[in-house]
């Protein structure tokens, strides 16, 4: 059942990703691989295939080391691209080595020798795989957190750019591999393998469904990861010079007077062109002067403007969504959340209480 689900989901993700030119092909391959790995596990434990083909215990085509690398590669793609290609290639060498070693053992398999070391082999092999996978997933999480910090400095609207689902996926995969690491020793020795595989099946189905549903929706930013990382460098502790203070006052005057904040797609690159200043410098000025990132800074102007519109009887014919759009918000839910966070009331409640 898992194999069929993974096959259908994987093909669907790959096909849709190719049609929409997204980066989710890697995710589709990962889903297919997880399904194939589940199939080989069930063939081994329930199909009794090892009785007919003892060499199957050394099946070189499972590529367990590849799972976390594919997810990490996907994370790199959706967070500004791959710069350190040599490092990524080095990671892909690991499953290649796994394949060569298992292929050699598969060809030279001897049942009597394997039985003497079977338990040690599975424990050692399982521990290595899962420690390696947890390490790669940690790299993915570090990248995702750094990326989210960067986009908050680059964009005023984060709709479709946030990677919360990918972070949840990474944490789910970490939990899955932590469970595998635990089971490689404790469950393998003390628990019936059928119980272990049943738990594994439930967890695997959840991960497949989650990745299939959300993975296709993510689109990469136009900026490189290095540019985003540079923008997100924390400079709030540094003091502004007199010249910097003057530049910030002029920048803020332009934002307010020309109402740049009402542009729902406003990016720090747009302000860079208007102010004729590097985006990095604008980010630094905002961070040092206000202690806020670009996203927080611009949305504060939008909320203040929305308050004024909601108090103005001339805008009574506007719906809450209309007010949000006038203020520069693309998302009504984001507007409601930020508005209530600042005023303690929803926009509708605020309008009634004026």
């Amino acid at each position: 059942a898992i194999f069929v689900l993974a096959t259908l989901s994987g093909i669907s993700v790959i096909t849709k990703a190719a049609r929409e030119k997204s980066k989710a092909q890697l995710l589709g391959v990962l889903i297919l691989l997880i399904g194939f790995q589940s199939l080989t596990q069930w063939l081994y434990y329930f199909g009794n295939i090892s009785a007919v083909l003892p060499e199957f215990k050394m099946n070189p085509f499972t590529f367990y080391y590849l799972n976390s690398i594919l997810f990490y590669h996907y994370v790199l793609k959706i967070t500004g691209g791959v710069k350190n290609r040599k490092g990524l290639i080095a990671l892909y060498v690991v499953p290649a080595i796994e394949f060569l070693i298992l292929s050699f053992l598969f060809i030279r398999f001897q049942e009597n020798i394997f039985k003497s070391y079977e338990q040690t082999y599975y424990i050692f092999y399982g521990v290595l795989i899962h420690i390696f996978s947890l390490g790669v997933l940690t790299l993915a999480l570090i990248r995702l957190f750094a990326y989210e910090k960067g986009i908050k400095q680059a964009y005023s609207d984060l709709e479709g750019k946030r990677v919360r689902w990918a972070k949840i996926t990474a944490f789910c995969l970490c939990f899955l591999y932590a469970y595998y690491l635990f089971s490689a020793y404790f469950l393998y020795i003390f628990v019936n393998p059928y119980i272990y595989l049943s738990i594994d099946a439930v967890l695997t189905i959840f991960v497949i469904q989650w990745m299939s549903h959300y993975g296709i929706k993510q689109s990469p930013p136009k900026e490189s990861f290095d540019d985003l990382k540079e923008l997100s460098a924390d400079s709030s502790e540094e003091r502004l010079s007199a010249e910097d203070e003057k530049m910030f006052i002029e920048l803020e005057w332009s934002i307010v007077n020309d109402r740049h904040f009402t542009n729902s797609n406003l990016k720090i690159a747009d302000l860079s062109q208007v102010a004729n200043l590097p985006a990095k410098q604008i980010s630094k000025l905002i961070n040092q002067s206000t202690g806020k990132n670009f996203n927080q800074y611009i949305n504060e102007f939008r909320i203040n403007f929305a308050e004024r519109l909601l108090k103005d009887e001339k805008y009574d014919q506007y719906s809450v969504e209309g007010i949000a759009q006038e203020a520069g918000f693309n998302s009504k839910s984001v507007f409601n959340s930020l508005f209530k966070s600042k005023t303690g009331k929803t926009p509708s409640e605020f309008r009634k209480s004026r």
Side-chain angles (χ1 to χ4, degrees):
I2 297 175
F3 175 69
V4 174
L5 173 65
T7 301
L8 294 175
S9 300
I11 292 173
S12 173
V13 169
I14 292 171
T15 304
K16 194 171 182 181
R19 187 169 61 248
E20 297 181 5
K21 296 182 180 178
S22 79
K23 305 296 182 181
Q25 292 97 329
L26 288 165
L27 213 56
V29 174
L30 173 57
I31 293 169
L32 288 173
L33 186 59
I34 290 173
F36 178 72
Q37 289 161 353
S38 296
L39 176 65
T40 58
Q41 274 193 328
W42 283 81
L43 282 174
Y44 178 75
Y45 285 105
F46 295 101
N48 203 25
I49 193 171
S50 58
V52 181
L53 186 67
E55 295 90 341
F56 190 79
K57 295 171 183 176
M58 294 294 165
N59 179 12
F61 297 101
T62 50
F63 296 109
Y64 287 114
Y65 279 97
L66 194 55
N67 294 15
S68 57
I69 299 172
L70 284 171
F71 181 75
Y72 177 57
H73 193 173
Y74 169 73
V75 166
L76 294 180
K77 289 281 190 181
I78 64 169
T79 56
V82 182
K83 184 178 180 181
N84 184 10
R85 296 188 179 278
K86 289 182 179 179
L88 185 62
I89 291 170
L91 285 178
Y92 275 112
V93 167
V94 175
I97 293 172
E98 174 198 21
F99 175 75
L100 292 173
I101 292 173
L102 289 179
S103 296
F104 174 79
L105 294 174
F106 181 84
I107 295 168
R108 304 294 296 271
F109 184 81
Q110 295 183 38
E111 179 72 19
N112 58 334
I113 296 176
F114 179 77
K115 281 185 177 180
S116 304
Y117 300 99
E118 182 174 7
Q119 193 175 84
T120 304
Y121 164 77
Y122 282 123
I123 293 173
F124 182 71
Y125 183 54
V127 167
L128 276 182
I129 289 172
H130 307 316
I131 288 177
F132 174 82
S133 299
L134 285 169
V136 175
L137 290 171
T138 300
L139 292 177
L141 279 169
I142 291 171
R143 173 83 173 210
L144 289 168
F145 278 104
Y147 166 78
E148 281 224 326
K149 188 178 179 183
I151 61 169
K152 288 175 183 177
Q153 291 287 15
Y155 297 93
S156 64
D157 176 36
L158 304 180
E159 195 73 19
K161 300 176 186 71
R162 302 197 69 175
V163 287
R164 184 178 298 163
W165 83 269
K167 289 193 292 186
I168 294 173
T169 304
F171 279 120
C172 287
L173 289 172
C174 282
F175 175 80
L176 194 62
Y177 281 108
Y179 165 73
Y180 289 155
L181 183 60
F182 171 79
S183 63
Y185 181 72
F186 291 101
L187 293 188
Y188 183 82
I189 295 175
F190 301 113
V191 179
N192 188 304
Y194 300 127
I195 297 175
Y196 156 67
L197 287 172
S198 298
I199 298 172
D200 174 51
V202 172
L203 294 174
T204 303
I205 288 171
F206 171 77
V207 169
I208 289 172
Q209 290 286 77
W210 177 268
M211 289 194 295
S212 302
H213 181 70
Y214 288 101
I216 196 69
K217 298 179 180 180
Q218 189 66 40
S219 57
K222 293 181 180 179
E223 291 82 2
S224 71
F225 178 75
D226 286 341
D227 290 340
L228 292 173
K229 192 175 180 180
E230 190 176 28
L231 285 175
S232 65
D234 187 10
S235 56
S236 57
E237 300 293 325
E238 300 177 25
R239 295 185 62 181
L240 282 175
S241 65
E243 186 180 350
D244 286 339
E245 287 181 2
K246 182 182 177 183
M247 281 193 290
F248 177 72
I249 291 170
E250 291 175 354
L251 174 68
E252 188 163 81
W253 183 88
S254 176
I255 292 171
V256 175
N257 189 63
D258 297 329
R259 291 188 179 178
H260 292 301
F261 60 86
T262 59
N263 174 4
S264 59
N265 296 313
L266 182 69
K267 303 188 294 291
I268 201 166
D270 299 328
L271 287 185
S272 176
Q273 291 182 345
V274 170
N276 197 27
L277 292 171
K280 182 183 176 182
Q281 188 173 2
I282 292 176
S283 176
K284 184 178 177 181
L285 289 173
I286 292 172
N287 194 230
Q288 288 178 322
S289 301
T290 67
K292 298 180 176 69
N293 59 47
F294 175 71
N295 179 263
Q296 293 168 327
Y297 178 67
I298 295 300
N299 281 334
E300 187 172 45
F301 286 117
R302 291 170 174 169
I303 293 297
N304 292 338
F305 187 61
E307 284 186 66
R308 285 168 48 197
L309 297 184
L310 288 168
K311 289 177 181 177
D312 193 335
E313 293 181 357
K314 290 189 294 185
Y315 287 87
D316 282 353
Q317 74 274 21
Y318 281 67
S319 64
V320 169
E321 189 171 359
I323 293 291
Q325 290 173 351
E326 284 292 309
F329 286 99
N330 274 327
S331 169
K332 182 182 175 182
S333 61
V334 171
F335 170 60
N336 287 339
S337 175
L338 291 175
F339 192 92
K340 188 170 185 179
S341 177
K342 181 179 184 295
T343 65
K345 299 176 182 179
T346 65
S348 298
E349 291 168 345
F350 183 86
R351 173 178 265 172
K352 289 176 183 177
S353 66
R354 68 186 181 196

